[in-house]
Amino acid sequence: MCGIIGYVGDKEAAPILLESLKKLEYRGYDSFGFATLYEGNICVHKDVGRISEHKNLNLPGKIGISHSRWATHGGVTKENSHPHMDCKNQIVVVHNGIVENYQELKKELLGRGHKFRSQTDTEVIAHLIEEDLGSGFEAAVKKALSRIEGRYALVVMEKGSDELIAVRRGSPLIIGAGEHENFVASDIPAFLERTRNVMYLDDNEMAVLTRTGVRFCNIQTGEETKKRIIRIEWDAEQAKKGDYPHFMLKEIMEQKETIMRAINQDEREIQNIADEINKAFGTFFVGCGTAGKVCLAGEYIFSKVAKKHVNFVVGSEFPNYHHFLKPRTLMITISQSGETADVLEAVEVAKKEGVKVISLVNVMGSTLDRVSDHTFLINAGPEKAVASTKATTAQLALVTLLAYASAGKLEEGKRLLMETASAVNDMLNPRYEAHIKKLAEKLKDEPNIYIIGRSLNFPIALESAIKIQEVSRIHAEGFAGGELKHGPLALIHNGTPCIALIANDEVKKDVISNAMEAKARGAYIIGISPESNEIFDYWIKVPDAGNASPIVNIIPVQILAYHLGVLKGLDPDYCVNLAKSVTVK
Ligand code: M6R
């Protein structure tokens, strides 16, 4: 959602904050802001636009905070960019999350004479802290937060103080412990080039950072807490674009290795969880957006491979299912970031009913990783582009492996996925990309693209639509092939692009028939399939991957979406109106 970075140390804060915030741009990219403390005064710089295009920051001081925003409350304006201050410019706050009761708090504060400069919910926090500053900085922050409802991560600085106060409730905040300098950020890449030693803040925990150390306490009980330092082993280079023009293309190409990494799991753990699924009193797969489509694919894969019924429920709707939860129910969440608020809320609901939670997550140390009873890390490495690609196929691979284990065929599943990983490696070559780019050139001005698939590839049709929508802003919709004739066929006319996802399986003939029905109405048929067919106007060959066909079928659509975005002059890494990690409900 939004990106936060705070620094206190013996170096000038501004250049460090500027560089670090650029590494968090994927979290929010409509506006940004900085505040430093110099000779007892707060200096602020805010602007609208992309932080990556910002060159210099002339703010003095060795302590500071900054923020890249993804607007929720209040439009994209300089005034609404963070940081926000109180009436007397003594307190400065950056915040990720939503103050759910901000309207009543703002009314109260206005009634007591406070003057507001923005339309944001965040500004109430600065004014609340201001009211209690007499009792000391730390106490005032605690008191203010006792009034705030909602999930958040925030960092506060006070005029004249050499401390940064960071508090987390539901949104990520990580401390980077350096030498004579300390950092607090929404994500590790922000400071990874400066320190590999991190400490994860827990919910309702406060960190007080100075140049020489960090102390922690629980804001509800006031008790001091001890933290373990975790050493990050992955490389800062992994979170960079390298020679690629965009993260999205780099991450698509990384699928040469990531599928293999995802299935490289402890086989006993895979088997244990598969056995638990077999014994469970109902298993719910829960995720949002693309991860939700992987969950839906899980429903089909388990049904086909393990003859087992598992249920997919989208994260935000899961609370409506609480009636069906029993202590022997199992919840399997899928999330790249591990910070999606709708999924975390679903986990809270499940835990209240005593349900065991297993998660498939990419980000180690994320909230979901820490609140789950068991986590499988998909090991895809940092995914920065807003559009998920390599995490998606890694999740699909792991779900497939679990389904095979549930059927008592773990080795067979592993073999299939290893062959698929190797086929993906062969597939991702420059000629293949050029062939898809040629198609993108033909489709770039189309207003609509439709995608059909059946069985395992129905969820992939839905996921294909998300990819095309978010990256190219072309209206795209996915359907179960059989549904075309129940309505969507009315949208097809001469030349309408229709992508048919076809695997060598028992529904192959049916999807071809559905594509024919569209072709008879003038549709331009793009077949994604191991074999060509006379009805295709354009054929994109994929390997014959059997039950792993969802993995190989989504990859050409990822490449298509990428090139459509580029050809339309869009930045494929920063989808308009979207954020990488959706930490609000
Ligand atoms: O981090 P998560 O996997 O939980 O994110 C869930 C969705 O927000 C995410 O998949 C979103 O749909 C992507 N932008 C799709 O590319």
Side-chain angles (χ1 to χ4, degrees):
M1 223 75 256
C2 303
I4 289 179
I5 165 89
Y7 172 84
V8 49
D10 53 11
K11 302 191 183 75
E12 278 301 302
I16 294 176
L17 293 175
L18 181 61
E19 277 320 300
S20 303
L21 198 61
K22 287 182 180 177
K23 301 198 179 95
L24 294 184
E25 190 177 26
Y26 70 96
R27 299 182 66 88
Y29 35 88
D30 56 37
S31 52
F32 57 87
F34 301 85
T36 57
L37 207 60
Y38 182 64
E39 296 185 344
N41 288 313
I42 294 172
C43 320
V44 175
H45 175 81
K46 304 191 199 192
D47 218 334
V48 167
R50 298 270 302 265
I51 183 66
S52 49
E53 281 146 24
H54 204 72
K55 297 274 179 298
N56 295 314
L57 182 65
N58 295 319
L59 294 179
K62 296 183 173 172
I63 174 169
I65 56 180
S66 61
H67 186 269
S68 65
R69 181 169 185 243
W70 185 85
T72 56
H73 292 59
V76 180
T77 63
K78 207 163 162 174
E79 293 68 40
N80 288 338
S81 328
H82 297 216
H84 291 288
M85 300 179 86
D86 64 314
C87 302
K88 299 181 199 131
N89 296 341
Q90 306 173 94
I91 288 295
V92 61
V93 181
V94 289
H95 165 232
N96 174 18
I98 290 179
V99 179
E100 284 171 5
N101 55 338
Y102 92 99
Q103 281 176 324
E104 59 193 79
L105 290 172
K106 186 167 178 177
K107 203 164 150 205
E108 235 184 66
L109 287 158
L110 284 169
R112 292 200 288 272
H114 287 268
K115 299 271 179 290
F116 280 74
R117 299 170 184 135
S118 76
Q119 285 87 50
T120 64
D121 51 337
T122 303
E123 198 180 334
V124 298
I125 305 173
H127 293 282
L128 282 173
I129 299 174
E130 171 190 2
E131 290 202 329
D132 282 295
L133 263 184
S135 56
F137 183 28
E138 224 176 292
V141 174
K142 282 185 191 151
K143 177 102 184 282
L145 294 183
S146 68
R147 304 282 325 273
I148 302 278
E149 287 167 18
R151 294 172 182 277
Y152 56 78
L154 60 92
V155 184
V156 196
M157 203 164 68
E158 188 206 8
K159 179 177 172 170
S161 161
D162 60 355
E163 294 174 342
L164 287 183
I165 295 188
V167 190
R168 172 204 157 113
R169 189 195 285 160
S171 288
L173 267 187
I174 302 142
I175 305 292
E179 272 195 29
H180 311 296
E181 58 185 4
N182 288 300
F183 305 82
V184 55
S186 313
D187 201 357
I188 294 168
F191 53 67
L192 191 59
E193 277 174 21
R194 297 177 185 273
T195 178
R196 287 175 171 277
N197 295 334
V198 310
M199 288 173 277
Y200 293 96
L201 271 185
D202 286 313
D203 277 348
N204 295 313
E205 201 167 32
M206 171 188 270
V208 182
L209 294 83
T210 61
R211 188 179 73 83
T212 51
V214 189
R215 53 193 171 78
F216 299 88
C217 70
N218 181 301
I219 53 166
Q220 285 170 336
T221 62
E223 267 171 43
E224 216 175 282
T225 46
K226 292 264 171 283
K227 305 294 304 177
R228 196 163 60 91
I229 292 193
I230 296 168
R231 183 132 180 103
I232 298 299
E233 298 302 345
W234 48 272
D235 203 331
E237 285 307 309
Q238 279 180 267
K240 289 187 181 165
K241 271 192 281 210
D243 291 335
Y244 288 96
H246 299 103
F247 281 110
M248 186 176 175
L249 187 59
K250 173 181 178 250
E251 288 158 9
I252 290 173
M253 293 303 163
E254 282 174 347
Q255 292 172 112
K256 288 176 182 177
E257 299 116 39
T258 47
I259 296 163
M260 202 64 194
R261 287 213 298 267
I263 56 169
N264 190 11
Q265 303 280 342
D266 181 328
E267 289 190 11
R268 273 166 315 175
E269 280 176 9
I270 291 280
Q271 194 56 61
N272 287 343
I273 299 300
D275 293 346
E276 288 200 41
I277 296 174
N278 289 344
K279 282 188 281 177
F281 187 82
T283 298
F284 286 95
F285 273 69
V286 177
C288 299
T290 289
K293 303 302 173 281
V294 176
C295 293
L296 181 61
E299 216 180 83
Y300 280 88
I301 297 167
F302 267 81
S303 162
K304 189 168 182 200
V305 174
K307 319 277 176 284
K308 172 95 197 141
H309 179 219
V310 297
N311 311 273
F312 159 56
V313 184
V314 74
S316 53
E317 290 299 319
F318 187 79
N320 301 317
Y321 284 69
H322 75 272
H323 307 288
F324 309 124
L325 304 176
K326 301 275 171 298
R328 275 182 50 219
T329 307
L330 207 58
M331 179 191 224
I332 302 202
T333 70
I334 301 185
S335 172
Q336 187 286 129
S337 62
E339 300 294 350
T340 300
D342 290 334
V343 175
L344 295 175
E345 198 192 18
V347 170
E348 268 171 34
V349 169
K351 289 227 145 187
K352 267 192 203 131
E353 306 295 334
V355 169
K356 182 166 177 179
V357 178
I358 319 285
S359 294
L360 275 52
V361 181
N362 192 30
V363 180
M364 187 177 85
S366 58
T367 308
L368 198 54
D369 174 17
R370 287 175 312 129
V371 300
S372 300
D373 297 291
H374 185 86
T375 303
F376 288 110
L377 292 172
I378 60 164
N379 299 317
E383 191 182 68
K384 295 283 229 30
V386 169
S388 179
T389 54
K390 61 176 178 172
T392 313
T393 48
Q395 291 159 349
L396 282 168
L398 200 42
V399 169
T400 307
L401 195 65
L402 276 169
Y404 271 91
S406 158
K409 298 177 184 165
L410 179 56
E411 281 316 309
E412 185 184 327
K414 207 157 180 192
R415 246 191 337 271
L416 168 72
L417 290 160
M418 278 159 72
E419 283 162 17
T420 306
S422 141
V424 166
N425 187 17
D426 297 342
M427 178 177 158
L428 285 170
N429 62 57
R431 231 164 16 113
Y432 196 72
E433 190 195 340
H435 179 61
I436 299 173
K437 187 174 173 199
K438 207 166 117 204
L439 176 66
E441 273 153 12
K442 179 172 169 43
L443 301 188
K444 71 176 192 323
D445 297 318
E446 289 292 338
N448 308 297
I449 298 179
Y450 300 104
I451 309 103
I452 57 168
R454 277 180 177 245
S455 182
L456 300 184
N457 282 290
F458 162 51
I460 301 309
L462 302 182
E463 165 54 11
S464 299
I466 296 192
K467 270 315 69 84
I468 296 171
Q469 289 159 5
E470 61 184 345
V471 186
S472 72
R473 303 192 85 194
I474 294 177
H475 168 245
E477 270 187 81
F479 302 103
E483 280 293 287
L484 266 190
K485 57 186 178 293
H486 296 289
L489 215 44
L491 302 169
I492 306 287
H493 50 81
N494 232 0
T496 307
C498 178
I499 301 176
L501 304 172
I502 306 170
N504 256 340
D505 58 11
E506 58 294 339
V507 295
K508 175 177 170 179
K509 283 197 183 128
D510 294 330
V511 200
I512 292 178
S513 298
N514 301 142
M516 273 174 165
E517 289 154 15
K519 193 168 173 96
R521 272 95 191 158
Y524 179 83
I525 304 294
I526 299 140
I528 295 186
S529 160
E531 284 150 19
S532 181
N533 189 292
E534 60 188 23
I535 67 155
F536 297 164
D537 294 295
Y538 205 96
W539 175 40
I540 302 176
K541 188 174 170 32
V542 285
D544 185 350
N547 287 335
S549 66
I551 298 177
V552 295
N553 281 352
I554 191 58
I555 293 176
V557 185
Q558 296 170 346
I559 301 174
L560 176 67
Y562 170 78
H563 282 294
L564 284 172
V566 173
L567 288 166
K568 288 180 81 76
L570 298 165
D571 185 337
D573 288 344
Y574 299 103
C575 309
V576 179
N577 297 339
L578 302 179
K580 179 68 183 162
S581 166
V582 186
T583 53
V584 293
K585 280 209 279 181

